[in-house]
């Protein structure tokens, strides 16, 4: 018997008090059966959304912390906040006719939980727990599939993937998240329904990609995508990295190298942007690949090309500008070649170009890149000399931006320069001088240099 949390029992009593049924459904049941913590609670009921809203509104007047949000009344869903937790409560439904492969044409309410479960994607997601007692309703043997670690469509895979093209991507996403295998017939239906997946809204696909990238071993999902044709459909740029061989210390082709870098970042629990950058950092390589006069493959400017391609890909999937800018910037900067003979000025310029806030992420990307080159941990200290130098330069608190200069635009105007773009040009030249020689960063010395610049202009 599964342990039913107290608040679920409390909520179920409210339904029962109103003569209505309630079931815990979807991911929460699946995750409890997997022995994991449930992270969001979806309930199914025979009450209509209006009845659910009325029940909890009536309660809300008396109880603190209870509120009702009509999230998707059109789809039969109401969100209820109760005892500090959010519950998505959906009236039993069946979904009729998906004419565009994206959205059901219309939502039709169903009479029973069994009917509601039959419209769900996979057997593991089609198990319900009747509340408050916890009786299991499992018409498609989802429990056995969970126990055996198998993902299997409810009913005919070809039909289910044809109704909604996102389901095939959800299938490989779950495989990546849980390390489950995909039933043969379900797997075979994916390549046959790629044209349906093509029609799915970019945001929905992005959310699934994010979950693959957020899983413990993203390569599982991406290799399944490659095997089924989903990779070519969604990310042809990445699919094109297969069999692009590399020389030097590289052991893998560009695709396996990229996946290994992403896995490494995931294993370390590094931020999402680092994982995305690891996945796409060499995506420019197939485009710029050339063979030089010695018969050696070169990938000149693959960082620039890769940054531009990554911007296209991420925009296509409607990532936020903040994510796009960070990932693109990391890719653009990932080829730095630090040697001990860098001057302090070179270190300062590196910090300014990368940006102090991005340094830790860039180091992580480079670490993942180095690991994925040989497939074994890089010397642990390989980035330390640069990190030490950069930290020392940052500790000196010397001017690393216009704001840190000992004089401002106003001082330049006071010298008689007309306000306008010329002020910025002079300030930037002063910063260049200070980066080379921090001793120059005094008001007196900078005014003197600015005076000479002004006279030259
Ligand atoms: P997660 O752990 O990522 O939240 P989940 O299985 O709970 O996984 P949700 O998107 O929250 O996924 O959906 C809740 C439930 O709704 C699923 O378990 C499944 O029963 C059903 N479901 C969701 N999306 C689909 C779909 N595209 N087709 C059919 N059923 C779906
Ligand atoms: Mg869920």
């Amino acid at each position: 018997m599964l342990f039913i949390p107290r608040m679920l029992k409390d909520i179920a009593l409210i339904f029962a008090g109103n003569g209505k049924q309630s079931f815990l459904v979807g991911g929460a049941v699946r995750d409890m059966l997997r022995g994991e913590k449930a992270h969001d609670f979806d309930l199914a009921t025979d009450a209509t959304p209006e009845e659910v809203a009325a029940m909890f509104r009536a309660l809300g007047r008396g109880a603190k912390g209870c509120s009702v949000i009509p999230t998707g009344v059109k789809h039969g869903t109401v969100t209820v906040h109760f005892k500090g937790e959010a519950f998505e409560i959906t009236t039993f439904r069946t979904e009729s006719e998906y004419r565009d492969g994206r959205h059901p044409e219309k939502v039709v309410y169903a009479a029973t939980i069994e009917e509601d479960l039959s419209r769900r994607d996979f057997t593991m997601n089609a198990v319900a727990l009747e509340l408050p007692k916890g009786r299991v309703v499992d018409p498609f043997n989802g429990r056995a599939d969970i126990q055996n670690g198998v993902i299997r469509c409810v009913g005919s895979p070809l039909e289910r993937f044809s109704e909604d093209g996102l389901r095939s991507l959800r299938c490989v996403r779950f495989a990546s998240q849980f390390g489950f295998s995909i039933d043969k017939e379900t797997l075979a239906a994916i390549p046959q329904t790629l044209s349906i997946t093509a029609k799915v809204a970019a945001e929905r696909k992005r959310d699934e990609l994010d979950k693959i990238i957020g899983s413990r071993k993203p390569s599982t999902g991406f290799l399944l995508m490659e095997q089924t044709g989903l990779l070519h459909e969604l990310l042809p740029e990445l699919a094109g990295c297969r069999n692009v061989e590399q020389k030097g210390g590289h052991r893998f082709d560009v695709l396996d190298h990229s996946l290994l870098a992403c896995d490494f970042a995931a294993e370390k629990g590094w931020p999402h942007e680092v994982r995305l950058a690891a996945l796409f950092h060499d995506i420019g390589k197939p485009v710029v690949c050339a063979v030089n006069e010695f018969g050696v493959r070169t990938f000149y400017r693959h960082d620039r090309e890769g940054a531009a391609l990554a911007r296209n890909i991420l925009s296509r999937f409607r990532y936020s500008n903040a994510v796009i800018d960070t990932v693109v910037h990391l890719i653009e900067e990932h080829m730095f070649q630090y040697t001990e003979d860098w001057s302090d000025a070179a270190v300062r310029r590196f910090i300014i170009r990368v940006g102090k806030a991005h340094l830790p992420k860039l180091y992580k990307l480079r670490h993942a890149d180095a690991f994925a080159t040989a497939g074994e941990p890089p010397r642990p200290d390989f980035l330390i000399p640069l990190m030490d130098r950069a930290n020392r330069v940052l500790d000196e608190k010397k001017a690393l931006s216009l704001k840190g200069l000992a004089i401002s635009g106003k001082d330049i105007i006071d010298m008689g320069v007309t306000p306008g773009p010329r002020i910025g040009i002079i300030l930037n030249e002063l910063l260049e001088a200070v980066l080379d020689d921090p001793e120059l960063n005094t008001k007196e010395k900078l005014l003197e240099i600015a005076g000479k610049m002004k006279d030259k202009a």
Side-chain angles (χ1 to χ4, degrees), residues 25-28 30-31 39-40 42 95 98 119-122 125-126 160 164 166-167 170 173-174 177-178 204 208 211:
V25 287
R30 178 198 65 221
D31 292 342
H39 61 86
D40 47 33
D42 295 326
E95 274 155 339
Y98 286 75
R119 62 142 178 119
R120 294 175 183 268
D121 47 8
F122 305 109
N125 290 342
R160 307 325 305 277
D164 178 357
L166 189 73
R167 289 177 183 156
R170 281 172 60 86
R173 180 264 277 197
F174 286 125
Q177 281 182 318
F178 309 151
R204 292 179 77 205
E208 297 302 320
K211 286 180 179 168

Side-chain angles (χ1 to χ4, degrees), residues 336 338 340 342 347 350 363 382-391:
F336 61 87
Y338 174 74
E340 303 264 313
W342 278 23
V347 177
F350 170 76
Y363 296 144
F382 89 110
L383 280 171
I384 288 177
L386 171 62
M387 289 158 101
D388 283 350
R389 287 279 300 280
N391 285 341

Side-chain angles (χ1 to χ4, degrees), residues 56-315:
F56 285 92
R57 285 217 173 97
L59 191 76
R61 274 179 225 118
K64 258 217 287 214
C66 175
S67 63
V68 179
I69 304 162
T71 11
V73 173
K74 225 172 49 203
H75 303 108
T77 304
V78 171
T79 303
V80 168
H81 289 266
F82 182 73
K83 303 202 170 175
E85 198 70 55
F87 299 87
E88 291 245 305
I89 303 175
T90 306
T91 308
F92 297 156
R93 330 179 285 213
T94 64
E95 274 155 339
S96 56
E97 284 192 72
Y98 286 75
R99 229 161 273 145
D100 60 356
R102 288 203 250 184
H103 304 291
E105 284 295 292
K106 57 180 194 287
V107 173
V108 179
Y109 293 135
T112 62
I113 183 68
E114 284 80 4
E115 216 181 318
D116 179 274
L117 294 174
S118 72
R119 62 142 178 119
R120 294 175 183 268
D121 47 8
F122 305 109
T123 58
M124 63 179 186
N125 290 342
V127 184
L129 286 186
E130 190 177 20
L131 299 175
K133 292 251 171 65
R135 179 179 69 95
V136 178
V137 184
D138 182 17
F140 305 102
N141 291 323
R143 269 178 306 181
D145 281 339
I146 292 171
Q147 204 148 37
N148 298 323
V150 176
I151 304 170
R152 185 194 316 272
C153 282
V154 170
S156 151
L158 211 50
E159 273 174 32
R160 307 325 305 277
F161 291 161
S162 303
E163 286 166 354
D164 178 357
L166 189 73
R167 289 177 183 156
S168 53
L169 193 55
R170 281 172 60 86
C171 181
V172 300
R173 180 264 277 197
F174 286 125
S176 200
Q177 281 182 318
F178 309 151
F180 280 16
S181 61
I182 302 174
D183 161 70
K184 212 163 128 233
E185 204 189 325
T186 296
L187 188 67
I190 299 180
Q192 298 182 57
T193 49
L194 293 174
S195 61
I196 317 276
T197 307
K199 292 190 282 186
V200 173
E203 291 83 350
R204 292 179 77 205
K205 291 193 252 201
R206 180 204 53 220
D207 291 347
E208 297 302 320
L209 287 177
D210 274 343
K211 286 180 179 168
I212 295 177
I213 293 164
S215 71
R216 243 171 305 158
K217 199 167 179 222
S219 63
T220 308
F222 287 108
L223 290 173
L224 280 167
M225 284 179 71
E226 186 189 25
Q227 183 192 334
T228 53
L230 280 169
L231 193 64
H232 196 269
E233 178 55 52
L234 269 75
L235 295 165
E237 301 89 341
L238 198 57
C241 292
R242 177 58 82 212
N243 295 328
V244 178
E245 300 296 338
Q246 316 179 71
K247 286 279 168 323
H250 278 277
R251 268 181 51 197
F252 307 102
D253 70 10
V254 176
L255 181 56
D256 282 335
H257 167 71
S258 307
L259 296 182
L260 209 54
C262 188
D263 276 356
F264 186 78
E267 197 184 305
K268 293 273 181 193
W270 285 343
H272 207 72
E273 287 138 331
V274 174
R275 301 183 196 201
L276 279 167
L279 185 66
F280 294 135
H281 75 287
D282 275 350
I283 204 141
K285 279 190 171 174
V287 182
V288 300
C289 179
V291 178
N292 71 11
E293 64 209 55
F294 307 108
V296 175
R297 268 176 188 239
T298 62
F299 299 102
Y300 295 127
R301 294 169 59 83
H302 76 269
D303 38 3
R304 295 272 191 87
E305 187 65 35
L309 280 176
R311 184 173 290 285
N312 282 342
I313 297 170
L314 297 169
S315 311

